[in-house]
Amino acid sequence: MIDGIKAYTSLTHLEIRGTPQELAQVVELASQMGHLTRATFLGVGNTETTLPNESFKSIQKLHVEGNGVEGIRRIASSVASPDLLELDIRWAPESTPVSEADYLPPLDRFQTLRVLTLDVPASFALYSCIAPTLSCHGLEDVYIRGRNSDFTQETLRTMAQSWPKLRYLQLALAGPSRTGVLSLGMLRCFAEFCPKLKTLSARVLLNLAGDSLNEMRQEAPGVGSALRQISVGRSAIVLPDDYKTEKQALKDVAASLLASWPNLTTLRCDWNGGYEYEWAKLERVLNSLREELSAPAS
């Protein structure tokens, strides 16, 4: 493998899968390729590699995947390119002494970064892991997957303030449908600080028979006119038992969503046989209310 790559030292794109031992040699060689702008390394382990601080000087798109936390972090830490646009890190670690605080190296030098994809180990707290990315204020597309959510209203607000240029945001949270997930109302801070946000995808809980309704009735923190779709995936929605109460609750939530995102038209649920019917009902109320509000006064 290594001999074949040595014959092409002027490569601009490299995608390779191998054993940790094979990849360690490839990464060392690729790190010093002056023309390499796009690299994908699949199967990275914790095999020792010697990477100078000034590595990957021309890289623009870097995708690193494997089960070696220390090995993957070593690669990300060595990047010296001032033009890094996309960073994709996916770790399925073996047992490791690395903590959430060390999940990512400092990223403040990557002010050109526009696209970030992180697949966070199930045992790691999400917000603690992504904290280094908050210094990348030019991010436009962010995709985060994990299980152990430690997001709060305050941390989500910090994320929204840190990424004012966001266009797409996906928070893919695994786990039970009614625990460890966000409430729909918590996401409205992105309307206040991310005016360019077009698509928002998150697993949420909307309990209109509980506290969610009072949260949604609070004044909207800001307006994001670009957003037209919220993808709720496999999210739960709980409606009141009484029809009259349900009707008013759905209208109140729809009004709250439109106060934050006046052009919102779609609430997409991918849970066939789950809560798809309930989300569709809210979507109908939302669109009916939006048409009513936009109709010319008679």
Side-chain angles (χ1 to χ4, degrees), residues 230 250 254 257 264-269 277-290:
I230 296 177
L250 288 172
L257 289 171
L264 179 65
T265 61
T266 306
L267 297 172
R268 180 180 173 187
C269 176
Y277 173 77
E278 288 83 356
W279 285 108
K281 185 183 289 189
L282 176 56
E283 182 181 285
R284 288 194 297 272
V285 174
L286 175 84
N287 285 309
S288 175
L289 181 60
R290 195 187 67 261

Side-chain angles (χ1 to χ4, degrees), residues 100 124-129 147-152 155 180 182:
E100 287 98 335
F124 283 9
L126 277 169
Y127 183 74
S128 302
C129 288
R147 185 178 184 89
N148 188 9
S149 173
D150 56 344
F151 291 133
T152 64
T155 58
L182 310 173

Side-chain angles (χ1 to χ4, degrees), residues 46 67-70 92-98 124:
N46 288 325
N67 58 19
V69 176
E70 294 91 337
E94 300 168 340
S95 59
T96 173
V98 173
F124 283 9

Side-chain angles (χ1 to χ4, degrees), residues 23-72:
L23 283 175
Q25 298 178 59
V26 172
V27 169
E28 286 187 21
L29 177 62
S31 71
Q32 301 307 304
M33 289 180 172
H35 300 282
L36 191 65
T37 59
R38 182 181 299 183
T40 298
F41 303 115
L42 305 175
V44 174
N46 288 325
T47 305
E48 273 300 327
T49 52
T50 304
L51 297 177
N53 291 331
E54 295 294 309
S55 296
F56 299 105
K57 291 183 179 180
S58 300
I59 206 76
Q60 295 179 7
K61 299 180 180 180
L62 178 63
H63 175 188
V64 190
E65 188 172 327
N67 58 19
V69 176
E70 294 91 337
I72 293 176

Side-chain angles (χ1 to χ4, degrees), residues 184-185 188 206 212-218 253 256-257:
L184 184 59
R188 292 193 299 163
L206 181 59
S212 294
L213 187 56
N214 290 331
E215 182 182 48
M216 293 299 294
R217 281 172 172 161
Q218 294 176 11
V253 171
S256 173
L257 289 171

